[in-house]
Amino acid sequence: MYKYTRLVTMLAIDIILITLSVFAAYLLRFDFSIRNQFIETFPYVFIMLTVLMIGSFCLFKIYKRIWKYASVGDLLAIFKGAILGTGAFFLIHQI
C-alpha cells in the first residue's frame, strides 16, 4: 500500500509541475499576455506533454528508484527521461 501511495503522490507532483512549467513557458513566451488563440491550445499541449513526460519517466524507471540514495545515475535517468519526452513532443509537432 505504501508503494501505491508513493507512486500516486509522485505522479500528482509531476503533473502539477508539468502544468506549471507549461503555463510559465506560455507566460514568458507571450510577455505575460497570452492571446486567446494560444489559450485554446493549452489543454492540448498540456495533455500531450504530460503523457509524453510521464511515459518517458516510466520508461527510464524513475518512479521505481529510491530517492534517499539518489546518485549521478539517477540524475542521468531523469535527464534522459526529460530529453526523450520533450524530444517526442517536438517531433510530433514537426510531422
Side-chain angles (χ1 to χ4, degrees):
M1 185 68 176
Y2 171 73
K3 279 187 169 184
Y4 178 74
T5 305
R6 183 175 165 260
L7 176 65
V8 170
T9 303
M10 290 175 68
L11 284 171
I13 289 170
D14 279 347
I15 290 170
I16 290 168
L17 290 175
I18 291 168
T19 304
L20 291 175
S21 68
V22 170
F23 188 67
Y26 267 59
L27 288 175
L28 289 172
R29 166 65 177 90
F30 299 110
D31 295 325
F32 295 91
S33 60
I34 305 170
R35 288 182 254 148
N36 285 338
Q37 69 186 38
F38 295 108
I39 289 176
E40 293 171 2
T41 64
F42 182 80
Y44 167 77
V45 171
F46 159 71
I47 291 169
M48 285 294 292
L49 196 57
T50 301
V51 168
L52 291 170
M53 294 299 285
I54 298 296
S56 66
F57 287 166
C58 288
L59 182 69
F60 286 99
K61 299 177 181 155
I62 290 175
Y63 297 115
K64 292 186 178 185
R65 296 177 185 265
I66 300 174
W67 292 105
K68 184 177 180 179
Y69 304 107
S71 66
V72 174
D74 297 323
L75 179 64
L76 289 175
I78 294 169
F79 183 73
K80 290 176 187 176
I83 292 295
L84 179 66
T86 306
F89 182 77
F90 177 76
L91 289 175
I92 287 172
H93 284 86
Q94 295 302 316
I95 294 176

